[in-house]
Amino acid sequence: MNQTGKNLYDQNQIISSLDKLKHWEKIYQTKDFTEVGWYQKTPTVSLSFFEEFKIHKEAKILDVGGGDSYLVDHLLDLGYLHVYVLDLSAKAIEKAKVRLGKDASKVTWINTDILDFEPKEKFEVWHDRAAFHFLLDPKEIENYVRIANESISEDGLMLIGTFSDQGPTHCSGLPVTQYSIEKLTEVFSPYFQKTNCFQTDHITPGGLRQHYTFCSFRKI
Ligand SMILES: C[S@@+](CC[C@H](N)C(=O)[O-])C[C@H]1O[C@@H](n2cnc3c(N)ncnc32)[C@H](O)[C@@H]1O
């Protein structure tokens, strides 16, 4: 048990919920978006998913752990009408809102830990790039999968991107769970069927190569 009363996983890698929040607030308070490893001016893989599945413009889209990513800017430019961005960090959301200016009001912003998320509506698309992999505790992973299942509409789609089994062990200084295609498919298999998975390198602003696993799933 830690001070917040939450039990977290690996003895050596424990980070309490409070520390997790502090960590992300500090990252977004002290670093410019272009300085962080996950920065992408154009999130090509994520956008190709919207094209591949011909996601219609009225679809409710939830970007989990969206931070101040540019995905939302691109989705608005493409004419998507119902974009939701969820993040643990209030500072990340504030930065994204400032960047978007008046367009920020077109987005629904949700400031919460995904594990505390109680959806009031269903989403046709669930997107998560580099947030899910921070969950280490099998119970938390199970909870995430359950919450995704409860939040996604019948026949809805999900795109998840994590560090791969060949990728880095840490992201933003925090330990991550690495996923092979098989492992990611297995984790979501209780409620989701794989549609397409692949692995690819992301090059960080500092020139480092990070190997990712991306999978799209359809709700069973
Ligand atoms: C590595 S960044 C990725 C940001 C964005 N998805 C992208 O690809 O540019 C991880 C993001 O997930 C958020 N995050 C981490 N754990 C979270 C959780 N349990 N619930 C909600 N957001 C979380 C962080 O605040 C951060 O914005």
Side-chain angles (χ1 to χ4, degrees):
M1 278 293 178
N2 56 51
Q3 285 177 331
T4 65
K6 287 202 178 175
N7 224 341
L8 292 163
Y9 193 47
D10 187 319
Q11 306 276 12
N12 303 314
Q13 302 192 329
I14 285 175
I15 172 165
S16 74
S17 294
L18 192 60
D19 289 345
K20 185 167 63 172
L21 180 59
K22 277 190 188 156
H23 171 87
W24 287 110
E25 291 297 29
K26 190 166 172 207
I27 291 287
Y28 285 109
Q29 272 157 12
T30 56
K31 288 193 190 287
D32 186 69
F33 192 40
T34 54
E35 290 178 279
V36 295
W38 54 92
Y39 169 75
Q40 288 181 302
K41 180 81 185 162
T42 305
T44 319
V45 172
S46 303
L47 291 171
S48 65
F49 162 83
F50 284 85
E51 207 177 301
E52 181 188 348
F53 289 97
K54 303 196 178 357
I55 306 297
H56 66 95
K57 304 295 189 219
E58 301 265 331
K60 281 188 184 166
I61 299 161
L62 180 66
D63 187 15
V64 176
D68 63 350
S69 143
Y70 278 76
L71 178 64
V72 59
D73 308 45
H74 286 271
L75 293 178
L76 292 179
D77 282 352
L78 287 167
Y80 284 99
L81 297 169
H82 305 294
V83 183
Y84 296 63
V85 177
L86 180 152
D87 205 279
L88 185 64
S89 162
K91 185 67 189 172
I93 289 178
E94 185 193 314
K95 286 175 85 170
K97 281 183 175 175
V98 168
R99 187 186 69 234
L100 282 164
K102 63 176 173 31
D103 280 351
S105 63
K106 297 180 184 168
V107 179
T108 305
W109 305 94
I110 307 171
N111 182 205
T112 182
D113 188 315
I114 186 59
L115 298 176
D116 297 327
F117 182 46
E118 292 176 2
K120 293 184 184 64
E121 50 210 322
K122 300 268 186 191
F123 298 93
E124 284 169 72
V125 178
W126 175 288
H127 173 272
D128 179 328
R129 173 179 179 266
F132 171 65
H133 67 188
F134 290 105
L135 302 179
L136 306 177
D137 181 343
K139 282 208 168 60
E140 293 193 338
I141 293 171
E142 208 177 289
N143 265 340
Y144 179 104
V145 177
R146 180 185 52 76
I147 291 165
N149 177 49
E150 286 169 8
S151 308
I152 298 176
S153 57
E154 215 173 299
D155 221 28
L157 288 161
M158 168 188 269
L159 177 69
I160 298 269
T162 67
F163 281 175
S164 85
D165 46 333
Q166 310 297 316
T169 55
H170 288 66
C171 180
S172 175
L174 298 177
V176 299
T177 304
Q178 299 163 298
Y179 288 91
S180 62
I181 288 176
E182 294 71 27
K183 185 170 168 183
L184 197 55
T185 305
E186 175 63 27
V187 165
F188 285 95
S189 64
Y191 309 110
F192 296 92
Q193 190 169 28
K194 175 175 88 173
T195 54
N196 184 22
C197 292
F198 61 93
Q199 295 184 313
T200 186
D201 278 325
H202 162 68
I203 309 296
T204 71
L208 293 176
R209 207 171 275 273
Q210 295 181 330
H211 202 237
Y212 271 74
T213 296
F214 279 96
C215 276
S216 54
F217 298 107
R218 192 176 286 281
K219 192 167 153 175
I220 300 169

